[in-house]
Amino acid sequence: FPAAVEVKAIRAKTGLSQAEFAKRYGFNVRTLQDWESSGAQPPSPVRAYLTVIDRFPDMVAKALRGAA
């Protein structure tokens, strides 16, 4: 299973606001806010996705835009 993640730290590392991060990576802003404020862990697949975003934020954003 993916390890625990620090959602706020991952987002902060990107330099994006909650709204910008949510839009870029396909999250619901309210859900993102809840994870950040409560410290609750997202479901396992989301933790895996956030881990990839943490390591390769530009590549993930590019892939989501459909760019090669």
Side-chain angles (χ1 to χ4, degrees), residues 21-60:
F21 187 90
K23 183 177 180 182
R24 179 171 291 178
Y25 297 111
F27 291 103
N28 176 285
V29 178
R30 192 72 206 126
T31 302
L32 182 66
Q33 291 169 340
D34 288 344
W35 290 331
E36 287 193 14
S37 65
S38 72
Q41 286 295 298
S44 180
V46 178
R47 289 197 314 270
Y49 180 46
L50 284 163
T51 299
V52 175
I53 291 170
D54 188 33
R55 295 183 183 151
F56 309 103
D58 295 334
M59 290 174 63
V60 174

